[in-house]
Amino acid sequence: MIRLVIVDDHPVVRAGLVGLLSDEPGLEVVGEAADGEAAVRVVAATTPDVVLMDLRMPGVDGVAATARLVAEHAARVLILTTYESDDQILAAIEAGASGYLLKAAPQDEIVAGIRSVAAGQTALSPQVAVRLVQRMREPAPEAAASLTVRETEVLRLVAAGRSNKQIAAALGIGESTVKTHLLRVFEKLDVADRTRAVTLAMERGLLT
């Protein structure tokens, strides 16, 4: 029996997944959560074989929750979402997700993905697999030299978990200025969020 925890902030979607998967032979839903913070608590209490994780949720999002679950509980996480941007895919995989499927996938594909992840394998929707291959083939942009000293300082404080308000106070600048620096960093690194910016900056040696 494969024990599942389902994490999604939409009650109707979550209920639909619970009903769908509970009827599958060999699958048992042992917990639900509406956000990443709750997911960590539920997983700690239920020790599931697979966590089915949405990406965009209030508070702790799917990427951050995945990183915590993998680090703290060695959880096997399968992303199930409607989003498939390159940055979101890479951020989820780098956070430790074992697979990435789209909610529009056929039921058989989702069930097969759950079984694969439970068995220690990976599960990627065809669309996601193609995008990952294309992204890996792209030459990495030379962004290191283009970040200013101030942009690097802001990014380092983001990596330390500081909010925009805390960064502004630490550097003696306005909160709007912090946002401007972050937008420039996102543009230069070709990313869409703080998590991916920090991850990519570390990979390229911009943050030490």
Side-chain angles (χ1 to χ4, degrees):
M1 185 67 70
I2 298 173
R3 294 158 49 82
L4 301 171
V5 163
I6 297 175
V7 186
D8 197 297
D9 64 324
H10 293 96
V12 174
V13 174
R14 196 168 64 249
L17 287 171
V18 170
L20 183 76
L21 298 174
S22 295
D23 290 337
E24 282 290 331
L27 302 185
E28 179 187 8
V29 178
V30 297
E32 305 174 40
D35 58 59
E37 191 67 43
V40 174
R41 295 195 299 268
V42 172
V43 168
T46 59
T47 60
D49 300 300
V50 177
V51 180
L52 212 56
M53 178 77 69
D54 192 15
L55 280 184
R56 292 189 182 178
M57 297 179 291
V60 178
D61 66 13
V63 171
T66 295
R68 285 182 59 183
L69 290 174
V70 171
E72 298 173 14
H73 302 286
R76 290 173 178 167
V77 179
L78 174 58
I79 303 297
L80 184 65
T81 184
T82 56
Y83 309 103
E84 55 173 318
S85 76
D86 290 356
D87 288 335
Q88 289 166 327
I89 295 168
L90 288 173
I93 299 301
E94 288 171 353
S98 299
Y100 196 115
L101 299 179
L102 302 178
K103 288 179 180 176
Q107 179 179 342
D108 290 348
E109 184 179 323
I110 295 174
V111 172
I114 291 171
R115 297 190 191 283
S116 293
V117 169
Q121 302 169 351
T122 58
L124 295 175
S125 71
Q127 304 97 309
V128 169
V130 168
R131 296 184 76 147
L132 274 177
V133 170
Q134 290 174 340
R135 185 63 178 259
M136 292 301 101
R137 287 175 176 171
E138 292 176 1
E142 295 297 329
S146 66
L147 288 186
T148 66
V149 172
R150 180 63 88 189
E151 288 165 356
T152 303
E153 289 174 337
V154 169
L155 196 56
R156 185 172 289 112
L157 289 171
V158 170
R162 305 285 184 86
S163 66
N164 287 357
K165 185 175 181 179
Q166 291 171 325
I167 294 171
L171 298 180
I173 58 179
E175 197 169 344
S176 61
T177 303
V178 173
K179 293 178 181 178
T180 299
H181 285 311
L182 281 174
L183 288 174
R184 289 175 180 165
V185 169
F186 292 171
E187 182 179 357
K188 290 177 179 180
L189 296 179
D190 190 26
V191 300
D193 58 67
R194 297 159 73 97
T195 301
R196 179 61 183 150
V198 169
T199 301
L200 193 59
M202 288 180 172
E203 288 176 0
R204 296 182 184 171
L206 303 182
L207 297 178
T208 56

